[in-house]
Amino acid sequence: MTFDSIIGHDRQKNILLRAIERHRIAHAYLFSGPDGIGKRLMAVAFAKALLCQTGNGCGHCPACRKVDHSNHPDIHILDSNGAAIKIEQVRNLQRDLSLRPHEGERKICLIDGAEQFTTGAANALLKTLEEPQPGTLIILLSNRPDKLLTTIRSRCQNLPFSRLPKHVLATILAQKLELNETDATILAALSEGSFKKALGPNRELYLEKRRKLIQSLSALSSGSIIPTFSFADELETEKELLFDILDIFQAFYRDLLLLKYNSPTEELVNLDLMDLINSQVETTTITSLLGKLKALEAARYHLQRNVNRRLALEVMLMRVAAA
Ligand SMILES: [Zn+2]
């Protein structure tokens, strides 16, 4: 990953490139913003440019290659993977940073998921930030910067990242994945500016599976218990993608609501299901759509709190069908 291959985020890219050019690298940065939009790619490109033997993150020198293969001895990566970052992990990192760089002049530490620090770990890191060692750089990545100690935030140069606008993402996806305009727009809308989502396993979900799921959902009726239960069965097996499926259902009912309010078709997500959408708009009311959206929201709330998944899905589908 080099700066050139990063799509979008030009402002952030330019700030970092200027810092490199002027040899004015801060001791610590905080890259904040939603997951999957490219913060980590930017951090790696930045690290690479700083460690590169030709000084520009060429991608070919031994240092760049080591960064690409995640085995550069002067980069320490701490990945929370959604779990708490403990004080021992920060101590480890401090020990590592206190040693001289193995290859270049700099040691770089990347902490992904910085909102996951325990109090002890946060306080330990604060010490390092308060007494920065020359030649060390700490990059914190977080989707919830508000959860960090203010004292940590204030010692970092803050670089906020935002989602790419839908039309920009759609254009890029159309080129990268060779998709037609409709599919690219659907994928961009459902990925909410997240490349990780658009290019990962969700691509198939958003493009192919979505149509089937929406058809099954809109075929449910309050009198038909068996199809409702068998659809709940099917959804229950989609443990990993369940929240993304709820997003799909919500986007569908939002499309219907938008049409009810005479919004232009360009604002809709499910552009490939216009026949179904048009027929549903005819037969449904705004109150019913709001009821269905409420049922989806309630299910999301309960699923986030680890209630019985099967039960939550059954209740959700029955409420959607009855609304
Ligand atoms: Zn290089």
Side-chain angles (χ1 to χ4, degrees), residues 42-78:
M42 188 74 87
V44 171
F46 186 38
K48 201 165 164 183
L50 291 170
L51 297 170
C52 172
Q53 288 160 354
T54 56
N56 58 2
C58 66
H60 309 296
C61 71
C64 281
R65 279 175 202 235
K66 281 181 195 165
V67 177
D68 281 338
H69 293 106
S70 311
N71 60 6
H72 196 294
D74 294 325
I75 297 190
H76 188 122
I77 294 181
L78 192 52

Side-chain angles (χ1 to χ4, degrees), residues 88-101:
E88 301 82 66
Q89 291 171 283
V90 175
R91 295 253 158 83
N92 256 335
L93 178 131
Q94 286 167 328
R95 256 192 304 279
D96 195 9
L97 286 182
S98 70
L99 303 171
R100 289 179 54 80

Side-chain angles (χ1 to χ4, degrees), residues 235-302:
L235 294 182
E236 197 194 359
T237 59
E238 302 286 0
K239 196 175 152 199
E240 306 294 323
L241 295 172
L242 213 43
F243 290 107
D244 299 316
I245 292 175
L246 291 185
D247 287 344
I248 288 176
F249 292 166
Q250 272 170 326
F252 175 65
Y253 290 127
R254 199 177 52 215
D255 282 353
L256 296 179
L257 262 185
L258 285 170
L259 279 190
K260 281 272 179 204
Y261 286 109
N262 298 318
S263 300
T265 356
E266 301 90 77
E267 288 181 27
L268 306 188
V269 173
N270 299 284
L271 296 166
D272 55 347
L273 293 174
M274 285 316 291
D275 285 349
L276 177 66
I277 286 179
N278 284 326
S279 75
Q280 294 264 319
V281 165
E282 296 287 314
T283 53
T284 190
T285 63
I286 289 175
T287 317
S288 156
L289 291 172
L290 292 175
K292 292 176 196 295
L293 283 165
K294 223 167 157 184
L296 295 176
E297 217 24 76
R300 186 187 299 273
Y301 176 89
H302 291 300

Side-chain angles (χ1 to χ4, degrees), residues 152-292:
I152 288 189
R153 281 207 308 262
S154 67
R155 301 224 164 241
C156 298
Q157 182 174 339
N158 200 344
L159 216 53
F161 285 67
S162 37
R163 294 192 164 100
L164 292 176
K166 190 170 98 180
H167 67 276
V168 176
L169 185 59
T171 314
I172 298 162
L173 291 174
Q175 288 166 358
K176 251 185 144 52
L177 303 175
E178 294 178 9
L179 295 175
N180 63 43
E181 203 186 318
T182 306
D183 280 357
T185 309
I186 294 169
L187 195 54
L190 288 167
S191 315
E192 296 179 313
S194 163
F195 272 110
K196 215 175 188 170
K197 277 191 171 181
L199 301 174
N202 284 30
R203 179 183 163 194
E204 194 227 331
L205 169 70
Y206 289 156
L207 293 183
E208 280 102 61
K209 230 163 161 182
R210 173 185 48 89
R211 284 191 281 269
K212 216 183 122 265
L213 287 167
I214 289 177
Q215 262 140 7
S216 304
L217 182 76
S218 53
L220 296 180
S221 70
S222 51
S224 52
I225 294 294
I226 293 169
T228 306
F229 282 2
S230 69
F231 194 33
D233 259 346
E234 188 188 330
L235 294 182
E236 197 194 359
T237 59
E238 302 286 0
K239 196 175 152 199
E240 306 294 323
L241 295 172
L242 213 43
F243 290 107
D244 299 316
I245 292 175
L246 291 185
D247 287 344
I248 288 176
F249 292 166
Q250 272 170 326
F252 175 65
Y253 290 127
R254 199 177 52 215
D255 282 353
L256 296 179
L257 262 185
L258 285 170
L259 279 190
K260 281 272 179 204
Y261 286 109
N262 298 318
S263 300
T265 356
E266 301 90 77
E267 288 181 27
L268 306 188
V269 173
N270 299 284
L271 296 166
D272 55 347
L273 293 174
M274 285 316 291
D275 285 349
L276 177 66
I277 286 179
N278 284 326
S279 75
Q280 294 264 319
V281 165
E282 296 287 314
T283 53
T284 190
T285 63
I286 289 175
T287 317
S288 156
L289 291 172
L290 292 175
K292 292 176 196 295

